[in-house]
Amino acid sequence: MPTHKIGYFVGSLSSVSINRKLSKALIRLAPAGLEFTEIPIRDLPLYSPDFDAAYPPEGQALKTAVEGSDGILFISPEYNRSIPGALKNAIDWGSRPWGTNSFARKPTGIIGTSPGGIGTAVMQSSFRSVLSFLDAPQLNAPEAYIRFDPAIYGDDGEVSDPGTETFLRHFMEEFGAFVERVLAANAPGHIGDEHPDERKLDR
Ligand code: FNR
């Protein structure tokens, strides 16, 4: 696999985030051709259309990071059966100003963990609607709803359970292959690559 730049979002601001632990495991288990850079969300102001006329540096940096990535991976908790506010705010920043949606045609993957049995499944379901609206192709399978077991995950991405390690490694291999497929489809010469409105969203 050639090298691909993957920007990743951790949807938690917690200093003891289990999703950050999961992100370290995923990076450790990813195929050699993927290079990871976190896209930070902590210091973003709350998005308002009032910013559109002069995007602040934090918002512009996020857009630049997304646009410079070959693929985007979201690793997020579920808050009240939905997307944590800090992560949704970051996505709103990347989607605007209108006509400059940074996520358009960007290959994406979603994964998350919680101590509960459904492992962020409801959050991921609503997240998929957001990515569809953003015209961001998403890895459909395997789905990854991870019930967190603190005995399995080390602080530096170690995974002590062989079954979990195999599953996470497979998820990352499939994500890497998906990124390659979407990049190939996005390459010049394919149907639709000349479409002038490809990055616009409904108002
Ligand atoms: C939660 N948690 C939670 N868990 C879950 O499985 N479904 C849910 O809807 C929620 N809702 C929720 C709301 C809020 C505001 C908090 C703070 C927590 C529990 C959550 O899974 C747990 O705190 C995880 O540790 C969060 O992940 P990070 O932040 O540790 O990565």
Side-chain angles (χ1 to χ4, degrees), residues 5 21 25 27 32 48 58-59 71 76 89 93 112 146 148 153 183:
K5 290 179 282 180
K21 277 192 177 178
I27 291 169
S48 161
E58 300 93 332
S76 179
N89 181 53
W93 275 106
I146 311 294
F148 191 78
Y153 297 88
L183 292 178

Side-chain angles (χ1 to χ4, degrees), residues 12 14 16-20 77-82 113-116 118 120:
S12 173
S14 167
V16 291
S17 168
I18 59 177
N19 282 277
R20 182 164 297 285
E78 175 177 287
Y79 274 9
N80 299 312
R81 295 284 183 261
S82 192
T113 187
S114 76
I118 60 169
T120 74

Side-chain angles (χ1 to χ4, degrees), residues 9 40 59 74 79 83 87 104 108 122 148 162 167 179 200:
F9 289 84
F74 298 95
Y79 274 9
I83 305 166
L87 179 56
T108 61
V122 184
F148 191 78
F167 177 82
V179 168
K200 292 190 176 171

Side-chain angles (χ1 to χ4, degrees), residues 12-61:
S12 173
L13 303 182
S14 167
S15 59
V16 291
S17 168
I18 59 177
N19 282 277
R20 182 164 297 285
K21 277 192 177 178
L22 176 62
S23 73
K24 289 180 180 172
L26 293 167
I27 291 169
R28 185 182 269 243
L29 296 171
L34 301 184
E35 285 179 358
F36 292 85
T37 305
E38 182 168 1
I39 301 178
I41 64 174
R42 180 179 298 277
D43 296 329
L44 289 165
L46 288 177
Y47 172 77
S48 161
D50 294 346
F51 288 118
D52 285 359
Y55 243 42
E58 300 93 332
Q60 191 52 56

Side-chain angles (χ1 to χ4, degrees), residues 46-183:
L46 288 177
Y47 172 77
S48 161
D50 294 346
F51 288 118
D52 285 359
Y55 243 42
E58 300 93 332
Q60 191 52 56
L62 181 139
K63 290 180 72 66
T64 301
V66 171
E67 291 167 21
S69 300
D70 295 319
I72 303 289
L73 184 63
F74 298 95
I75 306 117
S76 179
E78 175 177 287
Y79 274 9
N80 299 312
R81 295 284 183 261
S82 192
I83 305 166
L87 179 56
K88 180 60 167 53
N89 181 53
I91 292 166
D92 293 342
W93 275 106
S95 71
R96 292 278 153 163
W98 185 80
T100 72
N101 165 27
S102 300
F103 293 102
R105 298 191 175 186
K106 202 61 81 174
T108 61
I110 321 167
I111 186 168
T113 187
S114 76
I118 60 169
T120 74
V122 184
M123 177 281 292
Q124 292 191 37
S125 176
S126 57
F127 208 133
R128 287 186 183 280
S129 301
V130 173
L131 293 176
S132 296
F133 182 70
L134 293 173
D135 193 23
Q138 51 193 284
L139 176 68
N140 289 321
E143 299 171 297
Y145 311 130
I146 311 294
R147 181 173 195 168
F148 191 78
D149 179 346
I152 289 180
Y153 297 88
D155 286 337
D156 293 319
E158 312 91 330
V159 178
S160 63
D161 175 61
T164 304
E165 180 177 335
T166 299
F167 177 82
L168 296 178
R169 192 187 299 281
H170 175 63
F171 177 85
M172 294 308 283
E173 285 167 355
E174 289 294 315
F175 175 65
F178 176 71
V179 168
E180 284 210 334
R181 285 199 299 278
V182 175
L183 292 178

